[in-house]
Amino acid sequence: MILFGFLIILILIISPVIIYIVLRNSLINKKNQVENAFAGMDTMLKKRYDLIPNLVAAVKNYMKHEEKVLLEVTELRAKATQGMLTDDQKIDLDNRISKLLSNILVAVEAYPDLKASQNFLQLQAALNEVEEQISASRRAYNAMVTDYNNAVEMFPTSVIANMMKYQRKPLFEIPEAERKNVDVGKLFKE
Amino acid sequence: MPWRSKTPDEFKVFYQQTILPGLDSLEKLRKKVWEKIVILTLVVFCFFIVIAAIMLSGAFVIQALMIPLVICAVLWVVLFRIVVNKSRVKFIAAFKEQVIGEIVRFIEPGLDYNYSKYIPLSVFNASKIFNVSPNRYRGDDYVSGRIGDTQIEFSEVAAERVTTRIDSKGRTRKEVQTIFKGLFFIADFNKEFKGTTVLLPDLTQKFLGRFAQKIQSIFRPRGQLIKLEDPDFEKRYVVYGDDQVEARYILTPGLMRRLVSFWDKMNKVNDSILGNFGSGNVNFLSNFSNVRMVYLSFIRSQVIVAISFNRKLFEPRLFRTLLDYSTIEDYFDDLQLALGIVEDLNLNTRIWSKR
């Protein structure tokens, strides 16, 4: 009888500890997945930075009028690859580069020779590819953050999240300019 | 020039010009088979009457009729094999070459059609859609070639698992579990990828009850569950994959929309079916058989689409005239459905590194 009581007390003590460990680990796991997804996004962005010098080199000779844009994108790239940036700065730079790149690709329409060149076509395909991968990694990041945020706000993990001072993380939002549907008619008028 | 599928009107013209002239001789073949079956059945039936009359004249015991009935059934099958089957096989072969083959080449002249070949078992297993390996595997109506820039192949397949077990009374029982029956389609995907992403119909336990266990034994979850943003898509498919980012690289918001429409097209926009999932009504099993299951697998830079069918595809009907336009149009529709996957999934768009 004494042994039985002793066992029950033991279980009463141990089981909260086990539950605590399991919940805590699942939270840590989710937080790490978010970080991992952010790193994955970074890798994809680096891929794009690698393509920029090639793109600039390929279009430079044709696009005399867009020299300013090309210069700007080169500068931004240099800034982005320097490192020592906060996450917010990274995202901001990335957004500006996205915008410039799409401007360049639209401007190419005015140069039929360039548009037809094999070199450029390959670059364009590579850029499309990278853009698609960047978008995939952003979506994967958002899915991980949603998972993490749910865990931070929902009971019972919310209690442990509070103890560990885990906070909600912001979702990666697509900038307004990118979210708008492309108005093809307007592009041609410009 | 981008590839486009044929319209029903174009098919009508093609039917008048190419298919219809050959149908007369096919119809003769069909009638011959049909007549043979009727005569055979009549003869066996008369034989049965005679035996039954002889037996009944002795003593009136209904149970005694079982013996001649069994004998006659066996006789019918044996005679069918000897007398009818040869002309039946000949009819089917002629039909497939003259109707199915012609329609395939009409839709895309570069396609090859072989009615006896099919997607091999090794390829079926490598798709990783079905976790149970079949031990009875058949198929026919193999089509291969290019649609625009996309290499494709498909065939009808039927994959089953036959198990024998000994029941409580000591009898051996054979159980046949259908793993998949329908159209198995493989195409070159327009993007390059390394891992595996599998899309299964989202039929979870709460909708299916005991059925779910059977299904889940076939599709045990594999890899990571991939949660996607599109609620309509999530209502229809459940996605497993070994890479979260790669799965999203393949399943772009655009492709997800296309897959939603594709599912609806396969099920003839049956919102009522999806609605019934939730209500958990008793009639669900009858609805269940109406749902056309769509499975997809993205593997080795290919997309594999498996669409379940309750009926046999591309087979002639012995007891229905061929001279009816709608009969032939049904074959055209089935083939369009298969070859239309390239357009439905936008596979000819090649704007990424892969050419």
Side-chain angles (χ1 to χ4, degrees), chain A residues 32-187:
Chain A
N32 286 342
Q33 272 179 342
V34 170
E35 276 164 16
N36 185 26
F38 192 85
M41 215 157 73
D42 230 21
T43 327
M44 296 300 172
L45 291 177
K46 283 215 179 75
K47 265 196 197 169
R48 180 157 78 177
Y49 299 148
D50 292 344
L51 281 174
I52 290 173
N54 292 337
L55 179 76
V56 172
V59 302
K60 194 166 56 184
N61 293 333
Y62 295 87
M63 302 171 90
K64 299 288 179 208
H65 304 293
E66 277 82 9
E67 226 165 320
K68 231 182 89 193
V69 185
L70 296 180
L71 206 71
E72 204 183 336
V73 82
T74 314
E75 272 170 14
L76 286 179
R77 178 199 173 257
K79 233 190 240 172
T81 45
Q82 260 171 12
M84 308 285 285
L85 294 168
T86 64
D87 288 355
D88 287 343
Q89 280 173 321
K90 265 186 203 167
I91 289 170
D92 178 52
L93 268 179
D94 168 44
N95 285 340
R96 282 161 68 190
I97 290 176
S98 296
K99 201 153 176 258
L100 285 176
L101 279 182
S102 62
N103 282 352
I104 293 174
L105 290 179
V106 171
V108 166
E109 298 295 323
Y111 304 88
D113 291 352
L114 170 60
K115 227 177 89 185
S117 86
Q118 197 56 40
N119 194 5
F120 177 74
L121 284 177
Q122 264 174 18
L123 263 174
Q124 196 180 27
L127 263 175
N128 280 339
E129 173 102 29
V130 169
E131 291 297 337
E132 201 90 331
Q133 274 168 348
I134 289 172
S135 128
S137 58
R138 279 176 186 167
R139 288 163 58 217
Y141 173 75
N142 278 352
M144 295 302 153
V145 170
T146 307
D147 237 24
Y148 167 83
N149 284 347
N150 283 343
V152 167
E153 289 186 355
M154 282 180 190
F155 185 80
T157 36
S158 59
V159 179
I160 294 157
N162 247 333
M163 286 159 68
M164 293 166 78
K165 299 212 167 55
Y166 274 15
Q167 307 256 313
R168 264 184 71 95
K169 281 180 195 278
L171 290 172
F172 188 97
E173 281 184 39
I174 301 158
E176 205 52 51
E178 279 181 47
R179 210 186 285 154
K180 271 187 217 142
N181 281 333
V182 180
D183 183 351
V184 179
K186 202 176 143 207
L187 284 181

Side-chain angles (χ1 to χ4, degrees), chain B residues 138-169:
Chain B
R138 286 160 296 145
D140 57 1
D141 300 303
Y142 177 81
V143 174
S144 67
R146 283 185 97 82
I147 298 275
D149 289 330
T150 309
Q151 184 72 36
I152 61 125
E153 55 179 329
F154 72 85
S155 83
E156 188 184 9
V157 304
E160 292 165 334
R161 183 157 190 90
V162 186
T163 41
T164 48
R165 62 177 182 89
I166 295 163
D167 69 3
S168 53
K169 286 174 187 157

Side-chain angles (χ1 to χ4, degrees), chain B residues 90-110:
Chain B
K90 198 177 139 198
F91 164 65
I92 291 174
F95 166 84
K96 296 221 161 172
E97 222 13 85
Q98 285 178 38
V99 177
I100 306 296
E102 285 296 335
I103 299 176
V104 167
R105 286 184 286 273
F106 160 68
I107 295 174
E108 170 57 50

Side-chain angles (χ1 to χ4, degrees), chain B residues 166-180:
Chain B
I166 295 163
D167 69 3
S168 53
K169 286 174 187 157
R171 289 176 299 201
T172 48
R173 285 192 173 251
K174 222 181 197 181
E175 278 185 352
V176 181
Q177 177 192 17
T178 303
I179 297 169
F180 175 74

